[in-house]
Amino acid sequence: TEMFTDSMVDLITCGAVTNMKKPINVGKTIATLAWGTKKMYDYMDDNPAFEMHPVDYTNDPNVIGMHDNFISVNACVEIDLFGQVCAESLGTLHYSGSGGQVDFVRGAKMSPGGKSIIACYATAKGGTISKIVPTLKPGTPVTTSRTDVDYVITEFGIAQMRGKSLRERAKALIAIAHPDFRDELRSEYKRVYGWGL
């Protein structure tokens, strides 16, 4: 992982994560940064099964791709109907950094059997804003390109992106948008792109 957190301690201590099926660093938890509570830092301290490495190792898509069936799970601020992901800003208002999202998405693509997942709630601001939008706002950076996304998941389902036409992508994403925004997304798609879904 790029960032080690408290929840990962729980996964390791309950036996859900053993690190024993990896082709490299077998039995070791590898990270480049950590952020959490004293419990997490106590777990890491002097633990021979834990190693910190430079980001150019942990986030190297070639290293990530060595792991069979690697699944990357990342979040987003919004995603447009073509599957372009923004994880950094609200329009031109800088919100976060890209972090290792693209590294892990591309590493998962290189992994035999790997998959990349963008997971998010369908709405923000108490359900008043759809996170699935017709187009990204002007000035919004594309963190992960549409060609790199395998799956998008919201609480309303899963949209498979790989191998789909632009129209099929839009249909799949609208199907997992909040029901309150689906008609609006269809109308905007027709207005912006010139054909209906």
Side-chain angles (χ1 to χ4, degrees), residues 64-76:
I64 295 164
M66 290 178 180
H67 300 81
D68 289 349
N69 304 306
F70 189 91
I71 308 295
S72 75
V73 181
N74 290 282
C76 70

Side-chain angles (χ1 to χ4, degrees), residues 129-145:
I129 297 172
S130 179
K131 292 184 87 168
I132 297 172
V133 296
T135 59
L136 297 178
K137 295 173 190 65
T140 299
V142 174
T143 307
T144 301
S145 74

Side-chain angles (χ1 to χ4, degrees), residues 83-88 101-102 105 118 142-146 148-149:
Q84 297 183 116
V85 176
C86 173
E88 304 172 54
Q101 183 169 117
V102 176
V105 165
I118 301 297
V142 174
T143 307
T144 301
S145 74
R146 62 185 173 84
D148 284 326
V149 178

Side-chain angles (χ1 to χ4, degrees), residues 3 35 99-100:
M3 182 168 72
W35 187 5

